[in-house]
Amino acid sequence: MEVQINARKALQKKHHTILFSGNNLKSIESEDLTKDEKKYVYDFFKANVKRDLCFLNRYDYLIVIVRPSRSSGHQETEKFRQIGAKTWSYIKLAGAEKVQVKSLGDHVDILPAFIEGMALSSYEFIKYLTDTKDKTMLKEISVVGMKETDLHYISCVISATCKARDLGNEPVNHLSSEDLSEAISRLAKEAGFKFDFLNKKKIQSLKMGGLLAVNQASPYPPTFNILEYKSPKATNKKPVIFVGKGVTFDTGGVSIKPAAGMEKMKADMSGAAAVAAAIYGIAKAKLPVHVIGLIPSTDNRIGSHAIVPGDVITMYSGKTVEVINTDAEGRLILADALHYAKKYQPSLVIDLATLTGAAMMAVGEHGIVGMEKNADAAFQLLNHCSENVYERLVKFPLWEEYDDLIKSPVADLKNIGGPQAGAITAGKFLEHFTDYPWIHLDLSNAIIDRTNSYRTSGATGAGTRLLMEFARNLKDL
Ligand code: BES
Ligand code: ZN
Ligand code: ZN
């Protein structure tokens, strides 16, 4: 059940209500509060200068006063996403499913973040629970004092992020590569973008050797998904391409992963989820851009047909690769997609992938490791966007010295480097399959064990808000 976000002209009585007072608490004077309540709010904020929220409990509904502080900037915006999440945690205790929000001052810049935080924090992946009668789910946020177009955009962002989370959280026995294509096809129909996918036969005829090698031991066929949204008002002349790693489950293959935590690898298609969901959101919001999504998809399995260490494979580009570790599968399927991207003569390609544990070790779950080739200005823009949505980038280098680490004596490349600089050698590997301005994002924030404010545990939908924000700020590159 997705949260509906609507505009409302005036507050309704006896509803769970959130009032955004601003620093000027006097703004509550004109509201429908008793004298005692107003006094309580004044006294509360006087005695608790660091608190943002004040609750008025009225038997069967709650009124929450939010006092935004004065400063601005992306840290402050993030704070209001978190305040939104905190507000929902209280309102949920009150059993509410519908809330109304009113801005009493001029807080249009902060209100979207608050709504986003509240809605995203209410997300739960409960479709496989057979008993949900005790669950309180947020169904509706009605907003007084915001433009309908602004609200529509926020609802596109929220809806897209939740779609990405849904895809990421779906286990492989319910989401094979073909299921993923079907899911994307449904998103395409709903939001209005073009979608097609190449089946195994076509992938074989194109000789996408990376994708086929990873797929060798899978019970499911691979797919190669192509998404396109072209606004008639597109401001970019040549398309911007998003490439997403669509590994529907990563066992590690013959270089098998340890058992502990392996279930998380159902979300190893988080890059794909972000790409599909962002294009869904961009199309729904009708942003004036031309974007293409490429999603190579398979699971990475063990079996008698599986690739083994030492195998030499020929990639779609014609380059040969010695597979040293079958768990470095993401770069094999992405390389084929990056080569495929060349035919569009894109102005920029951004790939998103849960590619390495090394990126996670380096920056943890609070950031994304980014690398760039011939795309300095685009990276700066993306970096700015990443601060706005608080999916911050950490830039790693692609120095040529690292190339030595992925040289193979028997093939053009090998698929892993040494123990050092694991995120970078993965990036360096991919670089060999690009010939256009390119940004690589290793999504270390895509899968988390414990809920952190509005980022709910499991698949976070990372990258979705970032790509939408990038598309929103894109002029021409
Ligand atoms: N999907 C994993 C990386 C990963 C692990 C992402 C855990 C998020 C959470 C990727 O396919 C992988 O296994 N990478 C290996 C590469 C190594 C063999 C060079 C890794 O990082 O261990
Ligand atoms: Zn792997
Ligand atoms: Zn993987």
Side-chain angles (χ1 to χ4, degrees):
M1 181 75 196
E2 247 177 52
V3 189
Q4 298 295 317
I5 295 166
N6 327 311
R8 180 171 284 177
K9 289 232 161 54
L11 289 178
Q12 290 183 355
K13 285 192 192 286
K14 299 197 174 180
H15 268 59
H16 296 279
T17 304
I18 296 144
L19 299 174
F20 250 74
S21 78
N23 269 307
N24 181 7
L25 273 182
K26 286 219 166 63
S27 60
I28 65 169
E29 283 300 330
S30 55
E31 295 307 304
D32 184 17
L33 303 174
T34 67
K35 218 170 150 193
D36 284 351
E37 284 173 332
K38 286 175 189 166
K39 182 171 177 338
Y40 177 79
V41 174
Y42 282 122
D43 291 348
F44 178 87
F45 280 126
K46 206 169 186 182
N48 301 280
V49 279
K50 288 197 170 150
R51 298 285 278 274
D52 308 296
L53 302 173
C54 172
F55 294 91
L56 299 172
N57 216 332
R58 285 191 178 174
Y59 302 105
D60 55 353
Y61 63 102
L62 265 177
I63 295 181
V64 188
I65 316 281
V66 187
R67 181 178 60 168
S69 54
R70 230 163 295 172
S71 59
S72 60
H74 66 270
Q75 306 274 5
E76 192 67 14
T77 309
E78 174 66 1
K79 200 172 112 192
F80 280 95
R81 288 188 195 97
Q82 292 178 359
I83 293 175
K86 204 198 266 176
T87 306
W88 167 242
S89 70
Y90 286 110
I91 288 188
K92 187 178 173 180
L93 288 177
E97 303 209 313
K98 295 180 176 185
V99 300
Q100 53 182 359
V101 183
K102 182 182 176 188
S103 171
L104 305 181
D106 186 16
H107 309 298
V108 271
D109 50 336
I110 284 169
L111 214 50
F114 177 87
I115 295 164
E116 195 175 284
M118 185 152 78
L120 290 180
S121 72
S122 77
Y123 173 89
E124 287 185 75
F125 187 71
I126 55 170
K127 67 185 278 200
Y128 296 114
L129 299 184
T130 55
D131 181 3
T132 55
K133 63 179 183 295
D134 291 335
K135 288 268 174 201
T136 303
M137 301 302 285
L138 182 56
K139 293 191 177 133
E140 189 184 282
I141 304 176
S142 304
V143 186
V144 180
M146 250 182 90
K147 276 196 279 179
E148 221 153 317
T149 48
D150 293 342
L151 278 180
H152 177 65
Y153 185 71
I154 307 171
S155 82
C156 291
V157 172
I158 292 164
S159 162
T161 308
C162 292
K163 298 276 192 238
R165 288 179 182 181
D166 279 344
L167 288 172
N169 287 325
E170 197 70 68
V172 67
N173 69 329
H174 291 273
L175 195 86
S176 65
S177 295
E178 286 181 326
D179 296 330
L180 177 63
S181 296
E182 229 170 83
I184 301 172
S185 161
R186 281 196 296 272
L187 296 180
K189 283 202 187 90
E190 193 195 321
F193 62 87
K194 276 208 280 184
F195 172 69
D196 199 7
F197 76 95
L198 315 181
N199 62 15
K200 184 172 178 179
K201 229 171 136 192
K202 184 76 189 163
I203 291 166
Q204 280 170 329
S205 75
L206 290 176
K207 299 196 173 77
M208 290 187 163
L211 181 54
L212 289 165
V214 177
N215 182 254
Q216 263 171 222
S218 171
Y220 312 115
T223 60
F224 188 93
N225 303 277
I226 304 161
L227 300 67
E228 181 167 15
Y229 175 71
K230 187 174 185 179
S231 160
K233 296 184 192 140
T235 51
N236 55 320
K237 285 191 198 74
K238 292 195 288 176
V240 169
I241 301 187
F242 303 144
V243 176
K245 169 175 171 182
V247 172
T248 53
F249 192 85
D250 184 8
T251 67
V254 169
S255 318
I256 193 166
K257 285 187 179 298
M262 204 205 272
E263 71 285 352
K264 282 183 259 183
M265 286 298 103
K266 68 180 184 176
D268 206 18
M269 29 58 70
S270 289
V275 168
I279 293 181
Y280 165 86
I282 288 166
K284 226 176 161 182
K286 296 193 164 60
L287 296 181
V289 290
H290 181 196
V291 287
I292 289 170
L294 300 176
I295 297 174
S297 179
T298 175
D299 46 350
N300 183 23
R301 295 265 183 160
I302 314 153
S304 55
H305 294 284
I307 39 166
V308 296
D311 278 1
V312 175
I313 61 174
T314 303
M315 307 292 282
Y316 178 43
S317 75
K319 287 204 167 104
T320 56
V321 173
E322 184 186 11
V323 178
I324 303 293
N325 190 315
T326 63
D327 198 9
E329 84 298 341
R331 63 198 76 183
L332 299 177
I333 73 167
L334 285 172
D336 284 354
L338 290 173
H339 180 69
Y340 190 89
K342 290 173 188 168
K343 74 172 198 177
Y344 296 99
Q345 298 181 307
S347 55
L348 174 72
V349 175
I350 305 179
D351 78 72
L352 298 89
T354 44
L355 203 61
T356 67
M360 206 121 81
M361 294 305 280
V363 302
E365 65 183 51
H366 299 294
I368 296 174
V369 170
M371 288 156 233
E372 152 274 315
K373 188 184 154 195
N374 297 333
D376 190 34
F379 194 92
Q380 279 182 40
L381 175 63
L382 189 68
N383 192 47
H384 176 69
C385 295
S386 84
E387 288 184 337
N388 288 348
V389 299
Y390 226 67
E391 296 196 288
R392 290 164 298 174
L393 302 183
V394 182
K395 191 170 178 180
F396 278 21
L398 286 172
W399 296 326
E400 65 180 64
E401 285 80 358
Y402 293 111
D403 260 324
D404 284 346
L405 298 172
I406 50 170
K407 281 194 175 130
S408 160
V410 300
D412 298 337
L413 291 166
K414 59 179 181 176
N415 79 330
I416 62 166
Q420 295 179 346
I424 296 175
T425 47
K428 288 304 285 182
F429 180 90
L430 296 177
E431 186 189 334
H432 284 270
F433 301 88
T434 65
D435 70 354
Y436 35 65
W438 167 64
I439 294 174
H440 163 55
L441 301 178
D442 199 330
L443 298 176
S444 27
N445 59 349
I447 312 166
I448 60 175
D449 290 334
R450 282 195 308 143
T451 293
N452 173 8
S453 181
Y454 62 92
R455 295 171 166 88
T456 50
S457 65
T460 61
T464 310
R465 291 185 303 124
L466 175 59
L467 291 183
M468 284 188 71
E469 181 72 1
F470 185 70
R472 201 160 71 106
N473 287 279
L474 188 70
K475 298 276 176 325
D476 207 4
L477 293 164

